[in-house]
């Protein structure tokens, strides 16, 4: 018998997860990350640095931060919390969500991207705003979680404080230590910036050329004054599995399980998506880590979704390599658990790297049989044009009763024109 009495979440939306914690005042959810690019009306360049690209050419794009990513979370937000977006999703995408998620999606609050943080800071409409990351230009008291606390929790430096086994690492404040003076371990090892956005700022060092590239990038971040701290970490060798474990900790410190995905990652460490087996995933092996992380977060005053990345070594040991105190990339995939199990579908894969020729309207017609069977679930879609040809970038989930059936469905979808572009 486990000494932990943790249970799976029985709902299917983010707002159902947050429901018991949002009754004290009026809450909204800012669905986009802050950015630091020149196009950002409110760049995070004062206090809460986010490493989202070391130069204008490599910054995370406007369409990813303001359209594709926030729309994906809006798809599964539910109707209890208004979701704040600065660019509305296509009407046909909302229509598809309404039909397939059974929600009214009347919860969308459209705000002007050039004024939204000022509006929200001085608005009486929302007392508290749930965020993925603290905003420099949103009043501190408007953040649902104290922004200094949230920034501390999101830092790679905090990992060793969380009460979970992790690779050994050292942290360095680059205003106090010269990059060249840092004692580096033997290859391979990792260097990470403190607040890299989805894989950005993580460098696997296996050779002098890797190190040169990493130091060049870090110097660029220092020059544009968007970085204070880095960590130098051991590299977990002989990993056999890479998990993302997700749960919700409420304001009382109680824990609800959301799910565990196996992460699909390129050899360079870039995140491609998640694979989940709803029936055959035993989360109990992570219960002690979940309890310790949840307790730490609660003591700090955090409530919300937590996802932490764990590598399993050949020796059967688990090493936490990252902890994200926010809605994670694969949270919408985990939230499909009850819906898909009800349809007899036990396996699903999420990816943000699908693409198909044609408009979204034409794709919704072409893929209608698969969409109706929930073989495919579209979370986000954005039309683009290249060389005069229209195509649509799609964030989606492919499902099946078994892994084999899911792969067969994915193969059929490829025949219909759905490309996977890892």
């Amino acid at each position: 018998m486990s000494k932990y009495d943790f249970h799976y979440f029985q709902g299917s939306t983010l707002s159902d997860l947050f429901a018991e914690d949002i009754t004290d005042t009026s809450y909204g959810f800012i669905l986009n990350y802050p950015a630091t690019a020149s196009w950002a009306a409110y760049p995070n360049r004062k206090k809460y640095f986010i490493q989202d690209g070391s130069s204008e050419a490599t910054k995370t794009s406007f369409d990813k931060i303001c359209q594709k990513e926030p729309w994906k979370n809006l798809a599964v937000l539910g109707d209890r919390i208004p979701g704040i977006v600065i660019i509305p999703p296509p009407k046909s995408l909302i229509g598809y969500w309404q039909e397939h998620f059974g929600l009214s999606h009347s919860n969308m609050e459209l705000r002007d991207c050039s004024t939204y943080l000022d509006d929200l800071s001085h608005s009486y409409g929302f007392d508290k705003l749930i965020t993925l990351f603290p905003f420099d230009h949103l009043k501190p008291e408007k953040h649902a979680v104290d922004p200094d606390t949230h920034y501390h929790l999101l830092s790679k430096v905090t990992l060793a404080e969380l009460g979970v086994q992790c690779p050994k690492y050292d942290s360095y404040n680059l205003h106090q230590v010269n990059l060249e003076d840092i004692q580096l371990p033997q290859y391979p090892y990792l260097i990470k910036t403190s607040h890299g956005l989805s894989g950005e700022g993580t460098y696997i060092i296996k050779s002098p050329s890797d190190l040169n590239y990493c130091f060049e990038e870090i110097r660029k971040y220092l020059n544009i004054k968007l970085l204070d701290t880095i960590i130098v970490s051991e590299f977990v060798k002989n990993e056999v599995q890479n998990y993302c474990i997700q749960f919700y900790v409420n304001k009382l410190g109680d824990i609800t399980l959301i799910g565990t995905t196996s992460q699909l990652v390129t050899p360079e460490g870039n995140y491609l998506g998640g694979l989940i087996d709803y029936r055959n995933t035993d989360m109990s092996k992570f219960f002690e880590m979940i309890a310790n992380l949840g307790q730490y977060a609660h003591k700090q005053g955090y409530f919300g979704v937590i996802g932490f990345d764990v590598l399993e070594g050949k020796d059967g040991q688990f090493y936490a390599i990252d902890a994200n105190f926010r809605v994670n990339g694969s949270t919408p995939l985990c939230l499909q658990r009850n819906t898909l199990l009800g349809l007899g579908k036990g396996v699903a894969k999420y990816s943000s790297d699908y693409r198909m020729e044609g408009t979204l309207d034409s794709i919704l017609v072409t893929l209608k049989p698969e969409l109706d069977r929930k073989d495919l679930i579209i979370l986000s879609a954005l039309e683009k044009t290249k060389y005069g040809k229209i195509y649509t970038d799609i964030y989606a989930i492919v499902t099946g009763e078994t892994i084999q059936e899911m792969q067969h469905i994915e193969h059929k979808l490829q025949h219909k024109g759905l490309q996977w572009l890892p």
Side-chain angles (χ1 to χ4, degrees):
M1 250 317 259
S2 167
K3 63 175 178 173
Y4 302 107
D5 188 27
F6 298 150
H7 298 284
Y8 269 107
F9 177 52
Q10 293 307 305
S12 58
T13 67
L14 290 171
S15 62
D16 285 345
L17 264 179
F18 280 90
E20 63 199 278
D21 289 324
I22 55 170
T23 55
D24 55 325
T25 189
S26 58
Y27 284 80
F29 197 141
I30 301 179
L31 295 165
N32 58 280
Y33 278 96
T36 65
S38 59
W39 50 259
Y42 297 101
N44 261 38
R45 293 196 196 126
K46 284 196 304 196
K47 187 176 186 182
Y48 304 121
F49 299 153
I50 185 167
Q51 290 86 48
D52 61 350
S54 61
S55 65
E56 280 301 319
T58 59
K59 294 277 184 203
T60 307
S61 63
F62 175 85
D63 64 3
K64 184 172 182 181
I65 285 189
C66 299
Q67 296 172 288
K68 293 192 282 194
E69 291 283 334
W71 295 348
K72 168 195 74 181
N73 288 332
L74 183 62
V76 296
L77 181 59
D79 295 329
R80 296 190 194 194
I81 309 176
I84 289 139
V85 290
I86 51 182
I87 305 230
K91 283 194 172 65
S92 52
L93 182 60
I94 295 173
Y96 162 78
W97 289 341
Q98 286 170 335
E99 185 182 342
H100 286 271
F101 292 118
L103 303 167
S104 69
H105 282 97
S106 57
N107 59 341
M108 188 173 74
E109 282 264 339
L110 184 60
R111 296 292 171 117
D112 188 312
C113 64
S114 60
T115 61
Y116 77 109
L117 290 181
D118 282 317
D119 295 345
L120 293 169
S121 285
H122 301 101
S123 151
Y124 297 110
F126 299 107
D127 294 318
K128 295 285 180 188
L129 292 148
I130 298 160
T131 66
L132 302 172
F133 197 93
F135 285 86
D136 275 345
H137 297 274
L138 180 69
K139 277 186 178 172
E141 62 271 21
K142 286 281 188 176
H143 288 76
V145 173
D146 174 77
D148 287 349
T149 300
H150 201 185
Y151 191 63
H152 168 73
L153 289 169
L154 288 165
S155 172
K156 306 279 189 276
V157 178
T158 306
L159 193 59
E161 295 174 22
L162 303 178
V164 292
Q165 179 166 282
C166 61
K168 289 190 182 72
Y169 67 86
D170 293 300
S171 61
Y172 299 93
N173 183 321
L174 297 179
H175 305 305
Q176 296 165 2
V177 183
N178 279 329
L179 215 43
E180 294 72 21
D181 297 336
I182 293 172
Q183 291 277 300
L184 295 168
Q186 287 186 309
Y187 305 129
Y189 57 92
L190 290 166
I191 295 180
K192 297 183 182 185
T193 62
S194 63
H195 292 84
L197 177 62
S198 63
E200 172 60 34
T202 293
Y203 309 97
I204 300 171
I205 313 298
K206 293 181 174 176
S207 67
S209 64
D210 290 340
L211 184 62
N212 288 339
Y213 172 73
C214 167
F215 275 13
E216 273 176 35
E217 288 289 291
I218 286 170
R219 284 192 195 97
K220 287 180 194 171
Y221 275 121
L222 286 170
N223 288 339
I224 56 177
K225 297 184 169 52
L226 283 182
L227 180 64
D228 293 326
T229 308
I230 61 165
I231 69 164
V232 179
S233 167
E234 275 184 345
F235 186 79
V236 177
K237 296 178 186 136
N238 304 318
E239 71 166 89
V240 293
Q241 194 56 270
N242 183 343
Y243 301 101
C244 180
I245 297 120
Q246 297 185 45
F247 64 97
Y248 184 89
V249 61
N250 72 9
K251 286 181 178 175
L252 298 173
D254 301 327
I255 283 166
T256 304
L257 304 176
I258 302 174
T260 295
T261 61
S262 302
Q263 303 213 75
L264 305 171
V265 179
T266 66
E268 298 76 45
N270 294 322
Y271 175 67
L272 292 178
L275 184 69
I276 195 163
D277 186 334
Y278 298 110
R279 285 197 193 98
N280 301 315
T281 304
D282 175 18
M283 285 188 74
S284 65
K285 58 191 174 186
F286 305 118
F287 278 3
E288 190 173 343
M289 297 174 98
I290 289 168
N292 292 350
L293 253 162
Q295 189 178 18
Y296 181 88
H298 176 61
K299 278 185 179 160
Q300 298 283 319
Y302 179 82
F303 73 97
V305 177
I306 300 175
F308 62 106
D309 299 340
V310 170
L311 297 182
E312 182 178 355
K314 263 190 183 157
D315 54 3
Q317 294 280 317
F318 294 119
Y319 300 91
I321 56 164
D322 203 1
N324 295 309
F325 294 80
R326 54 170 170 76
V327 170
N328 282 237
S330 57
T331 307
L333 171 66
C334 295
L335 290 175
Q336 304 310 309
R337 171 188 171 81
N338 300 309
T339 303
L340 291 177
L341 284 176
L343 295 169
K345 292 171 174 287
V347 179
K349 178 184 127 179
Y350 159 73
S351 177
S352 54
D353 291 296
Y354 290 112
R355 177 176 291 179
M356 191 158 166
E357 283 188 12
T359 63
L360 177 58
D361 284 352
S362 70
I363 290 165
L364 291 173
V365 171
T366 304
L367 301 182
K368 189 174 186 326
E370 290 79 9
L371 294 168
D372 285 349
R373 287 194 301 267
K374 289 195 169 44
D375 290 347
L376 181 74
I377 297 169
I378 294 175
L379 296 171
S380 190
L382 180 65
E383 291 175 7
K384 292 183 164 181
T385 310
K386 192 173 187 180
Y387 309 128
K389 267 192 163 180
I390 295 173
Y391 65 90
T392 302
D393 281 344
I394 296 169
Y395 287 21
I397 295 167
V398 179
T399 72
E401 286 182 31
T402 60
I403 282 217
Q404 291 75 15
E405 196 208 21
M406 185 199 78
Q407 288 170 327
H408 175 66
I409 286 167
E410 196 167 33
H411 204 65
K412 276 197 335 196
L413 287 162
Q414 282 169 353
H415 273 292
K416 283 190 150 191
L418 185 72
Q419 302 164 271
W420 187 43
L421 306 165

